[in-house]
Amino acid sequence: MNQQCLSCIIFVALILSVSGCVTATEEAATSTAPAWTAIPILAATVAPTSTVTPHPIPAEPADVIFHNGIIITMEKSQSLAEAIAFRNGLIQAVGADEEILALQGPETKMIDLQSKTLMPGFVDSHTHILKNIGLSMEDAQQLALENGFTTLTEMTAPPEFVEQIKVFAGNGKLRVRTSLYLEYTDTCGQVQGDWYLKYPQTHEFGEMLRIGGVKLFADGGEQTCGGIAYSFDPPGGQGRGNLWFTQAELDKIVAEIQSNGYQVAIHAQGDRAIEQAQNSIAFALNGETNTPRHRIEHNAILRPDLLPRYGEIGVVATIFGTANTCREVNEGRMTTRFGQEHLAWLENWRALVDANPELHIAWHGDYPAVQPISPLMHLYSLVTRKQVDKNGNICNPPQWLADHALTTEEVLRMMTIEGAYALFREDEVGSLAPGKLADVIVLSGNPLNTHDGIKDLSVLVTAVGGKTEYCATGKETLCP
């Protein structure tokens, strides 16, 4: 059996073992068929929570075919494939080489992946890349594309930035799909008024610029005024941080924004702020399902009693990737700041996932506040809790931090389809299925086959709508 087929079987086994159907060992030992199965060429995959319908795909020759590769689809019905076809900027078909090569026509661009990995482009559910003060918007989005982003989310967008990027997009210069979350409060909790009502939330299939929702701050944080709102006294007399609103005030704000037709994204890092945000979302929903997909951003201090409430309310949670492992190892950074007894609460994504197996959890990069920009380095940190310092040295996590690690499969979903769900874009991007947008990346290797090796992977190609927006030097044969 070749390595590619074996990888397919192992990955599917891992997925099934999570659902309790079969163990990875049993599946690897008993499977004799390839793990990929062909998705029907004309079948569009639409999630139950669909807000838009993917465009139908004609059964005509493909514009582009990638073959002889490892295709990570992020689709539960078909986790891996060998080949993928694009037509008119959409995914036409995904499956085995033999099936997809049948779509070749005289004008089809054929790309031999040579066993390299193709997967959905990274979806960042919360960042500030395009507002990066040190770069022009053109340079900022080029940086994003070079790192494999095909969908971004500009959080806390003030009026002047909204107008700036609207002009930018209107001139055809926006090359990364971008969602804006409109500024309701500044970082210090100061309400900016109802100006956001001028920009209704949008859900148009394939749009490059989307009005995603409204952003507000419940507490302070390291990069903001004020402090993270804890329920405990951290060492050094730092105090318990700052809540910007009373519970009644935040309840009213969230309910009002919801009544105006917007999704709400609430910055809440400390456990006091998380509890307050959970309460306000529950108040606004009033027992109903979280169809507006109200979000809590960061979720850094996870007090144990708060964990099951995420699932009970149906909150969409976003989480950091990179851990401050080097500063903890070299300086005792986290121990000094939060205290030994509360380290188990700190960014314990393992506990969050385990307490809420069906919860929608999306990764966010939060660049430039959080470094580095590379999603691959965030993936590396999330699955190993290790960190590479500026000199290239590996910092190994203490046991309490290592216990918080996630699996590669879990994190890749957070960085693709779950990020798309947080943005109401799961019918467009985040997985590879017929009818979805051809927003993909090609990686130098397969992240499913390694842990420590993830840090050494690189993005070779980034395509948005089937169009190459980044091609690594010397990799032109991979670029359609």
Side-chain angles (χ1 to χ4, degrees):
M1 182 179 295
N2 63 36
Q3 182 62 42
Q4 179 175 318
C5 186
L6 181 59
S7 299
C8 297
I9 292 170
I10 292 172
F11 178 52
V12 170
L14 287 171
I15 295 295
L16 290 174
S17 69
V18 171
S19 64
C21 298
V22 64
T23 68
T25 302
E26 291 168 342
E27 180 68 9
T30 60
S31 292
T32 58
W36 59 79
T37 54
I39 296 179
I41 292 172
L42 297 179
T45 301
V46 182
T49 51
S50 171
T51 56
V52 292
T53 302
H55 293 188
I57 304 299
E60 300 175 10
D63 295 330
V64 180
I65 291 176
F66 290 87
H67 62 100
N68 187 30
I70 299 169
I71 314 294
I72 302 175
T73 72
M74 305 314 305
E75 286 282 305
K76 291 183 178 179
S77 61
Q78 179 202 29
S79 57
L80 294 176
E82 293 176 302
I84 187 169
F86 300 161
R87 183 174 174 83
N88 297 331
L90 303 177
I91 297 170
Q92 185 177 16
V94 187
D97 277 337
E98 181 179 0
E99 179 200 16
I100 305 306
L101 290 174
L103 293 171
Q104 181 179 358
E107 303 299 322
T108 303
K109 172 73 173 178
M110 302 297 295
I111 298 178
D112 185 346
L113 285 168
Q114 301 176 39
S115 298
K116 293 182 174 58
T117 298
L118 184 148
M119 61 173 280
F122 292 116
V123 178
D124 196 331
S125 60
H126 178 139
T127 188
H128 311 278
I129 292 175
L130 299 182
K131 296 202 300 283
N132 190 341
I133 296 173
L135 296 173
S136 68
M137 199 173 293
E138 289 91 343
D139 289 342
Q141 71 173 346
Q142 181 62 32
L143 180 62
L145 290 163
E146 290 174 5
N147 281 279
F149 293 102
T150 55
T151 302
L152 296 176
T153 308
E154 283 293 329
M155 272 291 170
T156 323
E160 59 274 13
F161 179 77
V162 176
E163 287 301 316
Q164 178 188 3
I165 198 170
K166 281 186 65 182
V167 171
F168 190 76
N171 290 334
K173 295 182 178 180
L174 191 58
R175 298 155 55 207
V176 182
R177 300 189 201 281
T178 302
S179 294
L180 303 181
Y181 281 71
L182 310 176
E183 181 184 47
Y184 185 87
T185 73
D186 64 13
T187 57
C188 302
Q190 295 297 310
V191 175
Q192 303 299 297
D194 62 1
W195 71 272
Y196 69 92
L197 294 173
K198 180 181 176 182
Y199 304 97
Q201 192 164 297
T202 62
H203 286 155
E204 181 180 342
F205 183 90
E207 61 191 341
M208 294 302 294
L209 184 63
R210 167 166 295 186
I211 303 299
V214 173
K215 165 71 181 305
L216 60 94
F217 283 74
D219 67 346
E222 187 170 3
Q223 301 295 329
T224 68
C225 49
I228 297 173
Y230 312 108
S231 63
F232 56 89
D233 293 307
Q238 305 169 43
R240 295 193 173 190
N242 303 91
L243 290 173
W244 300 134
F245 302 101
T246 66
Q247 186 66 65
E249 289 170 339
L250 191 62
D251 289 351
K252 181 179 179 181
I253 289 169
V254 174
E256 177 184 321
I257 295 172
Q258 175 181 287
S259 70
N260 286 327
Y262 294 85
Q263 178 191 29
V264 182
I266 307 174
H267 165 111
Q269 293 210 66
D271 62 309
R272 279 201 300 146
I274 292 170
E275 182 174 22
Q276 192 182 63
Q278 288 179 338
N279 291 341
S280 66
I281 291 172
F283 176 84
L285 294 175
N286 193 27
E288 299 296 321
T289 302
N290 186 17
T291 53
R293 303 188 187 178
H294 296 320
R295 301 168 40 167
I296 299 179
E297 310 301 299
H298 309 315
N299 303 282
I301 310 296
L302 291 166
R303 200 173 74 230
D305 64 292
L306 300 178
L307 293 173
R309 291 202 70 210
Y310 284 92
E312 292 164 5
I313 300 168
V315 172
V316 177
T318 70
I319 65 171
F320 292 109
T322 299
N324 256 323
T325 308
C326 290
R327 293 194 67 180
E328 172 64 8
V329 170
N330 298 326
E331 309 167 21
R333 158 79 169 176
M334 291 179 269
T335 304
T336 300
R337 186 173 183 194
F338 302 107
Q340 186 73 40
E341 63 182 305
H342 296 108
L343 291 178
W345 300 6
L346 180 58
E347 298 185 359
N348 193 343
W349 315 135
R350 179 75 270 152
L352 179 62
V353 170
D354 290 346
N356 304 278
E358 302 302 318
L359 190 68
H360 292 287
I361 304 172
W363 160 84
H364 68 69
D366 205 14
Y367 183 84
V370 176
Q371 305 280 348
I373 191 173
S374 168
L376 289 168
M377 293 305 293
H378 285 253
L379 172 62
Y380 170 71
S381 180
L382 282 165
V383 303
T384 67
R385 297 282 72 183
K386 297 178 182 180
Q387 189 179 27
V388 182
D389 69 15
K390 61 183 179 181
N391 297 317
N393 300 314
I394 307 299
C395 299
N396 293 303
Q399 190 59 50
W400 67 265
L401 183 53
D403 290 342
H404 297 177
L406 299 169
T407 69
T408 305
E409 292 82 2
E410 288 169 335
V411 179
L412 284 179
R413 289 191 61 81
M414 293 175 183
M415 303 182 93
T416 54
I417 191 62
E418 292 297 344
Y421 180 90
L423 303 173
F424 285 90
R425 303 202 84 149
E426 76 275 16
D427 294 323
E428 302 172 88
V429 300
S431 70
L432 306 180
K436 285 193 166 188
L437 297 162
D439 292 7
V440 303
I441 57 175
V442 177
L443 300 178
S444 58
N446 184 355
L448 296 171
N449 284 349
T450 180
H451 280 76
D452 284 338
I454 291 172
K455 68 182 183 306
D456 302 314
L457 299 179
S458 60
V459 176
L460 305 181
V461 182
T462 303
V464 179
K467 178 184 177 183
T468 300
E469 295 291 358
Y470 168 68
C471 185
T473 302
K475 302 299 179 182
E476 289 76 15
T477 59
L478 296 172
C479 301

